[in-house]
Structures are given as structure tokens and as C-alpha cells.
Amino acid sequence: MNQLLQKSKKLKSVSSKLIKLYEHWSHSEELLEIKENLYFKKNNAYSIFHYENIIEKKVKKCVLQANYYIGIGSISPHHHIFVSPKINSKLLEKIQNELDDENIDHTSEVKMESEEEVKALPEVDVLKMLTEIVKLPDATKEISELLDIDWDAPKIEVSHVENDYLSPFLIIQFIHLIKTIVKKGLKKSYYSVEENLNSRIKGKILIPQTIKQNILKNRLTYTNCKYQEFGYNNIENRFLKKVLEFVKKYVSTNDHLLSSVHSEIRNSINYISSAYVLITPLEDIREIKGIKHNTFYKQYKEAIQIGELILKNFSYSITKSNRAIKETPPYWIDMSRLFELYVFKKLIKNPEFGKIKYHWRTFGNEVDFIGFYNNSEKGKEIPIIIDAKYKLHYENSKEHQDMRQVAGYARLKKVYNHFSDKANDANIIDCLIVYPILNKESELKISEIKAYQNIYKMGICLPIK
């Protein structure tokens, strides 16, 4: 009997094996062989991570290499992988120093001496970045492109505090959308009300309910009625109130996870709650399925979509929103896309840049940013092509290839046509490479890359936990 218990405990520990990786770092796992692709690609185009099955000293191993995605997923029936956004700060500094050297065509890898040194590395504050990104126009659409959730895959047990980015990621989006709705004013519309009225009739008489609840109980002056009312207590607002209750419960019990943005979230929730105080939470959330959205209330459609994901993430049970351990679907967050949006927010906020367009497309090419900036040396506003490079690990990667890529964008005829009033064929359009840095004092400072003509570099400081 004891042997059976020990065996079942051993099997249980194997089934819950969680391998922790850091963004763009390698890990070797013994007695693991990946036989098939289990959620390794986003939209079947981009690798979430790389793997190689090897045999070393007659022992089967699998070498896992994380890419620029964070999140959690299954790699075998008994193994799960969790990737967090650790930064090789030594490498970032080396990259910045070697960009100007034309004799160096790639940055050598800067290796950490031990696992303890890796764990001590700074971690990107993803939630802090998201609180900035949600303020962008069409933020919901852009954020949906960088977040991939596999609802059909088996769920994975994780710790809220240590291994869950999905819940706060959805909640921050929801709070911002609701805040926007409250600022504009809650939607008023007609909705059905059922009420047991005394000595009066309103709307349609509900005969079965009247007989059961009143006549059979000798309450002859009462009548069950159904009528239309115009106000705020409609299905959409009631559904959002339901989700808001989940969100408030989660925020109140997970302040450590949300520490960097907790005060901002708390202030937003207090602001929102006052507008929803008289709204009744929706009991049957299936009622929201039949709602037809009004284009005038764009944020309602987006908030309801995010709200449905939040409820689904917590299995529609409010008690599960405050558990230390939860089941989560596999999900991945594209950090390079997140960085692009973070850069976009910084650019449009900076008065030195103007008319910045995000992901400008032409002839199969997609430029990260295109617009204008005030060149202090030339004393005027000039055209510029901007490419964001979220590179934290440059193993076998060419920095100078990045320069050639952005220079190629600047030679496209359609780009010159776009800048027709500010540039002609005789001009060389300026290019700017944007990289992540950790030094706040150096942020947004533009300097020329010495090895190239009219190609500049600029650092964007990543928020750190």
C-alpha cells in the first residue's frame, strides 16, 4: 500500500513539472524528449521557443532556447515551460558600446557565471509597460496582436504571484477601457424589468408567475409584470459590473503582483466604482451573447470582449480570483511587439517627433515607424525612418544587418513619395535605431552611429521590477 502511495506521489510530481526559463536563455532538461509540436508557434509563423533533442553520455536530454516571448505552455504531457522577461544587463551595455565600431559585425555573447547570477538579473516590468500602452489609440486591437491564448489546450496550474502574467495583463486592459467609458458617460438604453406590482399594472402581465406567486397565495392585489425601462441598468453595464467585482477581488488579494502599478489601478477602480454603484451585477452572463453593439460605444464592445476573457480565465467563479494557485490556459506575450508599442507611446509623447505612423506598409515591407523629427543640427523638421530593435541577447546576431535593413527602407520610392514635400531624390532620409536601455538618464538622447551616414541610435529605458 505504501509503495502504491509513493508511486502515485512520484507520478503527481512528474505531471506538475514546471521548467522555468528566462527570455532568450538556454536550459537543458534531462529525461525529456519533445516528440511533437505542442503550441510552439504563434499563428504558425513565429517560434515561441526552440528545442533540440540530444543524447549526452547515454542520457536523453532536451535543450530549450527561449525566444522573445514570455508566458507558459506545455512541452510534453508531463512538462510545462514558463518564460519570464529577465534582462542580460551586461550584454545591453556591451551592445550600446559596440554599435559605433564598424569592425565589429556582431556582439559576442556575455555569459552569466551561475544560475544565481541569472536569477539576480533585473526583470522587465511588463505591467508598467502595459499601463502606458493601453493609452494608445486602438490599443485593444494592437494588444490582441501580441497576446496569444490557447483556450483549447489543457490548463496548467501556476502560482498567481510568481508565474501569472495573463490575469493582470487582461485586468489592466479592462480597467483602462472601463475608465474611458466612465469618462464619456455610461450608456443609457431600454431594458426589460420584471416586477411584482401592488395594485397596479405596467407593461405585459406575466400570467404563470402571477398565478404561482400571488393568486395561489391569496395575494390578490399583486400582479407580475414585465415592462421596458430606459436607464443605465442595461445588460451591458450589468455585465461590466459583474466583471468589475472579479477585478476588485483580484486586485485586493494580489497587491504584491501588481506592486508597481497598484496605486494607479486602485485610483482607477475607485473612480470607476462610483459610476457603477447603482448598477446591478448580471446574474446570467449568457444574456450578453445576444447584444448588438453600437459603433458609437466602441469601448463597450472592447470591454465586453476583455471581460469575457477575464471570466473565462477564472472559470466564471469569483472565489478563484483570489486563490494562490490557479489553472491558466497556455498563453504567450510577444515582448518585441510590446516593446514596439512602448516605443510608439514614447515617440508620440515626445514633442521632438511628429506625425508618427506605426507599422507603415509598402510593397511587402513593413516599417516600424515613419514620421518627422526636429533635427537640432539642421535646424528644421526632417523625415525619418525608425526601427525598434528589442534585442537583449545577440548570440550569432548581426547589428550591422539591422543598419542595412533600416537603410533599405529609407531607399524605397514609396517612402520618398510619402515625404514628397520634405524630401527629394538628392536627400538621404535619416534613419533611427531604437534599442532598450536601463539607464534613465540616457533615454531619448539621439546620437549618430559613426560607421554610417545619417543613421542614428536612441535608447528607450525599460521599466524594471
Side-chain angles (χ1 to χ4, degrees):
M1 185 71 179
N2 289 334
Q3 287 180 343
L4 286 171
L5 282 170
Q6 288 177 356
K7 190 176 180 181
S8 66
K9 284 181 180 179
K10 188 176 180 181
L11 286 171
K12 190 175 180 182
S13 66
V14 170
S15 64
S16 60
K17 174 80 174 181
L18 184 67
I19 301 168
K20 291 190 177 183
L21 277 182
Y22 305 111
E23 192 183 350
H24 228 296
W25 290 82
S26 296
H27 171 77
S28 178
E29 183 72 18
E30 289 189 359
L31 305 176
L32 170 63
E33 183 180 4
I34 298 177
K35 296 182 178 179
E36 56 181 311
N37 273 4
L38 293 175
Y39 202 58
F40 294 154
K41 291 184 181 294
K42 187 179 187 299
N43 299 329
N44 297 317
Y46 305 103
S47 296
I48 298 295
F49 61 89
H50 309 288
Y51 69 94
E52 182 184 2
N53 295 314
I54 61 172
I55 297 176
E56 192 175 275
K57 296 180 181 179
K58 297 182 180 180
V59 177
K60 285 186 177 180
K61 291 183 178 180
C62 185
V63 179
L64 303 165
Q65 171 80 51
N67 209 334
Y68 291 114
Y69 293 87
I70 63 167
I72 191 166
S74 297
I75 57 174
S76 82
H78 305 299
H79 294 82
H80 311 301
I81 181 172
F82 174 77
V83 184
S84 61
K86 289 280 187 181
I87 300 174
N88 189 336
S89 49
K90 291 181 180 179
L91 184 61
L92 273 186
E93 186 178 349
K94 190 176 180 66
I95 290 167
Q96 299 304 316
N97 293 336
E98 294 184 353
L99 269 176
D100 290 326
D101 194 336
E102 60 184 333
N103 296 315
I104 299 176
D105 201 32
H106 68 279
T107 301
S108 55
E109 183 181 2
V110 178
K111 292 184 178 179
M112 298 292 105
E113 299 299 328
S114 64
E115 189 175 346
E116 287 71 27
E117 192 176 1
V118 172
K119 287 181 179 178
L121 288 171
E123 183 175 326
V124 179
D125 194 337
V126 177
L127 303 184
K128 193 78 172 175
M129 293 175 75
L130 186 63
T131 53
E132 292 296 319
I133 290 167
V134 292
K135 299 166 188 174
L136 287 168
D138 294 324
T140 305
K141 178 181 177 296
E142 297 296 344
I143 291 169
S144 68
E145 294 292 323
L146 62 90
L147 176 63
D148 193 19
I149 309 172
D150 188 1
W151 295 107
D152 299 324
K155 290 190 173 183
I156 303 166
E157 277 196 353
V158 296
S159 163
H160 256 329
V161 177
E162 294 178 2
N163 306 322
D164 184 22
Y165 291 108
L166 179 60
S167 301
F169 207 84
L170 295 173
I171 283 168
I172 288 172
Q173 289 182 74
F174 180 79
I175 289 172
H176 178 75
L177 287 167
I178 298 298
K179 191 175 179 180
T180 305
I181 287 170
V182 172
K183 283 181 179 178
K184 287 185 174 182
L186 299 188
K187 177 184 177 183
K188 292 179 77 174
S189 62
Y190 284 100
Y191 55 93
S192 297
V193 177
E194 291 185 15
E195 192 175 1
N196 200 12
L197 300 173
N198 184 16
S199 301
R200 63 193 181 100
I201 294 173
K202 189 176 182 181
K204 178 183 176 182
I205 298 174
L206 301 174
I207 295 174
Q209 290 91 324
T210 301
I211 293 171
K212 186 177 180 180
Q213 295 179 23
N214 299 322
I215 295 176
L216 293 179
K217 295 179 181 179
N218 203 30
R219 302 173 65 189
L220 302 181
T221 59
Y222 283 86
T223 307
N224 273 88
C225 299
K226 183 178 181 179
Y227 57 90
Q228 292 286 305
E229 196 166 280
F230 187 76
Y232 296 113
N233 208 33
N234 49 53
I235 291 175
E236 295 98 315
N237 286 329
R238 292 176 64 198
F239 174 80
L240 296 178
K241 176 68 177 284
K242 174 85 171 179
V243 181
L244 188 59
E245 289 183 342
F246 274 73
V247 168
K248 289 165 80 171
K249 186 80 171 176
Y250 179 88
V251 170
S252 64
T253 54
N254 291 279
D255 53 337
H256 296 298
L257 180 62
L258 301 164
S259 57
S260 63
V261 293
H262 193 264
S263 60
E264 186 177 345
I265 288 175
R266 267 286 167 209
N267 291 337
S268 296
I269 287 176
N270 292 337
Y271 175 77
I272 293 163
S273 298
S274 60
Y276 278 85
V277 68
L278 299 177
I279 306 296
T280 309
L282 188 65
E283 295 299 324
D284 187 0
I285 60 173
R286 289 174 297 182
E287 292 182 52
I288 201 68
K289 297 294 182 185
I291 292 297
K292 292 183 179 179
H293 297 287
N294 189 330
T295 52
F296 185 73
Y297 295 99
K298 179 184 173 183
Q299 282 78 19
Y300 267 90
K301 182 180 179 180
E302 294 172 349
I304 287 168
Q305 287 173 344
I306 299 296
E308 287 177 322
L309 294 180
I310 290 171
L311 296 182
K312 196 173 183 180
N313 185 41
F314 292 118
S315 303
Y316 303 95
S317 173
I318 197 166
T319 57
K320 292 184 179 181
S321 65
N322 63 340
R323 289 182 181 175
I325 303 295
K326 74 178 285 288
E327 289 187 335
T328 183
Y331 67 89
W332 298 106
I333 299 168
D334 186 344
M335 286 298 293
S336 59
R337 193 72 178 263
L338 186 74
F339 179 67
E340 284 180 7
L341 291 169
Y342 188 66
V343 170
F344 186 35
K345 180 65 172 61
K346 292 280 187 180
L347 290 175
I348 61 176
K349 193 177 177 182
N350 190 333
E352 295 296 311
F353 294 88
K355 299 178 184 176
I356 299 295
K357 292 186 178 181
Y358 177 59
H359 274 209
W360 189 79
R361 294 175 176 88
T362 172
F363 299 127
N365 296 294
E366 189 172 44
V367 182
D368 286 350
F369 309 99
I370 188 169
F372 297 88
Y373 88 108
N374 293 315
N375 189 316
S376 56
E377 293 179 4
K378 297 178 181 178
K380 61 179 181 179
E381 187 180 66
I382 63 172
I384 192 165
I385 300 290
I386 305 171
D387 201 21
K389 294 295 181 186
Y390 181 72
K391 293 197 173 181
L392 309 180
H393 190 96
Y394 267 84
E395 184 179 9
N396 300 322
S397 179
K398 310 276 187 180
E399 280 80 82
H400 290 275
Q401 185 60 37
D402 297 339
M403 314 305 165
R404 295 170 193 133
Q405 181 187 22
V406 73
Y409 291 149
R411 301 301 175 268
L412 292 169
K413 286 188 175 180
K414 196 168 181 182
V415 170
Y416 275 88
N417 293 337
H418 178 78
F419 293 128
S420 58
D421 57 334
K422 295 282 185 179
N424 54 56
D425 293 346
N427 297 130
I428 298 176
I429 295 175
D430 286 6
C431 302
L432 179 66
I433 303 286
V434 180
Y435 284 100
I437 59 172
L438 300 180
N439 184 5
K440 187 71 177 174
E441 293 178 2
S442 302
E443 186 176 43
L444 298 174
K445 291 182 179 178
I446 299 174
S447 59
E448 190 173 8
I449 297 176
K450 296 172 184 177
Y452 290 87
Q453 183 70 31
N454 288 50
I455 298 184
Y456 301 85
K457 62 180 179 179
M458 184 179 75
I460 293 291
C461 187
L462 292 173
I464 301 300
K465 278 189 175 181

